[in-house]
Amino acid sequence: KELKPLKIKKPLILVKDVETKPAIVASISESVESVAKKIVENNINHVPIVDKNNKLRGIVTSWDIANAVAEGTKKLEEIMTKRVITAKENEPIDVAARRMDKYNISGLPVVDKDNRVIGIVTAEDISRIIGREKK
Amino acid sequence: KELKPLKIKKPLILVKDVETKPAIVASISESVESVAKKIVENNINHVPIVDKNNKLRGIVTSWDIANAVAEGTKKLEEIMTKRVITAKENEPIDVAARRMDKYNISGLPVVDKDNRVIGIVTAEDISRIIGREKK
Ligand SMILES: C[S@@+](CC[C@H](N)C(=O)[O-])C[C@H]1O[C@@H](n2cnc3c(N)ncnc32)[C@H](O)[C@@H]1O
């Protein structure tokens, strides 16, 4: 009897297993300086912008702050990205990793079905999985 | 005869397999604005600071630029990190991932034995490995 190639099933890691929750967020009326302070104080790079119902309206990252410095702009609305690429809690983490790669971004706000921000998952969170895997 | 647990050998991925090479660098005499421009124009987050022999002297990231905005500082020397955590080309990538995790950073300049900057490896580069792995 012929041997079938062995299929190795790795445990499926989901977005909710590695996300940071809750996410530090900001409102669209905040200043660039205020968001920069949140980034520094919380040691993060990604700040989802939400409305008063916690629905996602945009994202500002430390890269956008660098952009504000490079351009000499001052308003949050001018530097924030409005079409935000997101993830869902029950998605496999490799799907989220491919999405980041595709759009050349390093973090995805995690949203519920009503587009409310639950958490955030970053390339750093995913990189950590490689660090903890046994060879 | 008892069965031993099956050991699965994954191909060893090294830093040199995923690094970006060469790295975009800056000199210590540049302004914060100039480094911010490099970050934006090259779509990156990490800029190693080198001397005229390409030896590593520090690192400035978009997070440090956000710090400059938060603090209202203006000089590169005040925001750059001088004790830089690095990687070597022939290190396994999971070792580099654990180092980033340990120091809570998102990128490591890749240096040769004389501390000259060869490239850079980031959490985004490592996250991409998870994206491409087959289940
Ligand atoms: C294109 S990336 C380039 C730098 C680097 N790859 C990174 O992710 O930081 C920078 C831009 O992506 C945007 N961005 C980051 N995360 C995003 C997301 N989840 N959805 C949409 N845009 C995002 C930021 O607002 C910023 O303007």
Side-chain angles (χ1 to χ4, degrees):
Chain A
K1 197 172 134 228
E2 224 189 307
L3 280 168
K4 283 209 207 118
L6 190 74
K7 272 259 183 80
I8 298 129
K9 276 248 168 148
K10 288 204 288 170
L12 191 65
I13 302 170
L14 302 177
V15 165
K16 66 177 167 203
D17 299 323
V18 299
E19 71 177 323
T20 299
K21 200 176 161 175
I24 308 288
V25 297
S27 93
I28 204 163
S29 60
E30 287 182 43
S31 66
V32 172
E33 287 74 19
S34 159
V35 176
K37 272 186 186 138
K38 280 184 178 173
I39 287 174
V40 172
E41 279 160 16
N42 297 287
N43 225 330
I44 55 175
N45 283 301
H46 305 78
V47 181
I49 307 297
V50 297
D51 66 16
K52 62 184 185 339
N53 300 313
N54 205 31
K55 290 207 189 195
L56 187 61
R57 291 290 176 247
I59 188 165
V60 171
T61 67
S62 49
W63 190 93
D64 297 308
I65 307 280
N67 193 19
V69 170
E71 304 266 319
T73 39
K74 286 272 164 290
K75 294 193 72 185
L76 197 65
E77 272 219 66
E78 283 166 26
I79 57 160
M80 87 174 198
T81 301
K82 281 166 195 160
R83 290 195 61 149
V84 189
I85 315 297
T86 60
K88 292 278 197 301
E89 285 208 306
N90 286 319
E91 283 186 300
I93 199 65
D94 59 311
V95 173
R98 273 194 295 278
R99 193 171 302 137
M100 285 187 206
D101 189 20
K102 180 177 170 190
Y103 292 97
N104 187 23
I105 53 183
S106 53
L108 305 171
V110 181
V111 294
D112 68 12
K113 62 177 184 5
D114 299 317
N115 212 31
R116 277 185 299 247
V117 177
I118 302 171
I120 186 136
V121 61
T122 68
E124 283 182 75
D125 301 322
I126 301 178
S127 166
R128 218 171 274 131
I129 300 170
I130 294 267
R132 76 177 184 230
E133 269 180 1
K134 292 278 175 336
K135 280 282 140 60
Chain B
K1 200 173 133 228
E2 226 189 304
L3 280 168
K4 284 209 206 119
L6 189 73
K7 272 261 183 80
I8 298 128
K9 276 249 166 143
K10 289 204 288 170
L12 192 65
I13 301 170
L14 302 177
V15 165
K16 66 177 165 201
D17 298 322
V18 300
E19 71 178 322
T20 300
K21 201 174 161 176
I24 309 288
V25 297
S27 93
I28 204 163
S29 61
E30 287 182 42
S31 66
V32 172
E33 288 73 20
S34 159
V35 176
K37 274 187 185 140
K38 280 184 177 172
I39 286 174
V40 173
E41 278 160 17
N42 298 287
N43 235 322
I44 55 174
N45 284 302
H46 306 79
V47 182
I49 307 297
V50 296
D51 67 15
K52 62 183 185 338
N53 300 314
N54 205 32
K55 291 207 187 193
L56 186 62
R57 290 289 177 249
I59 188 164
V60 171
T61 68
S62 48
W63 190 91
D64 297 312
I65 307 280
N67 193 18
V69 171
E71 304 267 320
T73 40
K74 287 274 164 289
K75 294 192 73 184
L76 196 66
E77 272 219 67
E78 284 166 28
I79 57 161
M80 88 172 199
T81 301
K82 281 166 196 162
R83 290 194 62 149
V84 190
I85 315 297
T86 60
K88 291 278 198 297
E89 285 209 306
N90 286 318
E91 283 186 299
I93 200 66
D94 59 310
V95 174
R98 273 195 294 279
R99 193 171 303 136
M100 285 187 207
D101 189 21
K102 179 177 172 191
Y103 293 97
N104 193 18
I105 53 181
S106 54
L108 306 170
V110 182
V111 294
D112 69 12
K113 62 176 185 7
D114 299 318
N115 212 31
R116 275 184 299 246
V117 177
I118 303 171
I120 187 134
V121 61
T122 68
E124 282 182 76
D125 300 322
I126 300 179
S127 166
R128 217 170 277 133
I129 299 170
I130 294 268
R132 76 177 184 228
E133 268 180 2
K134 291 279 176 334
K135 281 280 140 59

